[in-house]
Amino acid sequence: MVKADVSTSISGGVKVGADKKGIYSSPIAEFGGIKATFIAAATVKFGVFKRSFTYEDEAILVEPDEIKFNKYYLDL
């Protein structure tokens, strides 16, 4: 038996801050990557002997990433 579960996330918002140029806002977007968790299980029977094996692991298929946007300054 092999079982796999794949998950991802995307989030967004607005960052507000200040620097030497003034007060700004900037959209933000983050991609959480794609992560897979899988489980493999097998049972081997030889005469009266029975043995079960289980293997569980996690793999990152696509790395997380952040999308950079320009800062928009407030005119005061």
Side-chain angles (χ1 to χ4, degrees), residues 7 39-40 43 54 76:
S7 63
I39 300 171
T43 301
T54 304
L76 298 176

Side-chain angles (χ1 to χ4, degrees), residues 9-23:
S9 65
I10 297 174
S11 62
V14 177
K15 178 181 178 180
V16 178
D19 58 17
K20 291 181 181 181
K21 292 182 181 180
I23 299 171

Side-chain angles (χ1 to χ4, degrees), residues 15-34:
K15 178 181 178 180
V16 178
D19 58 17
K20 291 181 181 181
K21 292 182 181 180
I23 299 171
Y24 67 86
S25 67
S26 176
I28 55 173
E30 294 178 344
F31 171 62
I34 299 176

Side-chain angles (χ1 to χ4, degrees), residues 42-59:
T43 301
V44 177
K45 187 174 180 183
F46 185 70
V48 294
F49 297 103
K50 183 177 178 183
R51 176 93 188 234
S52 296
F53 301 94
T54 304
Y55 180 76
E56 185 174 343
D57 200 3
E58 186 174 278

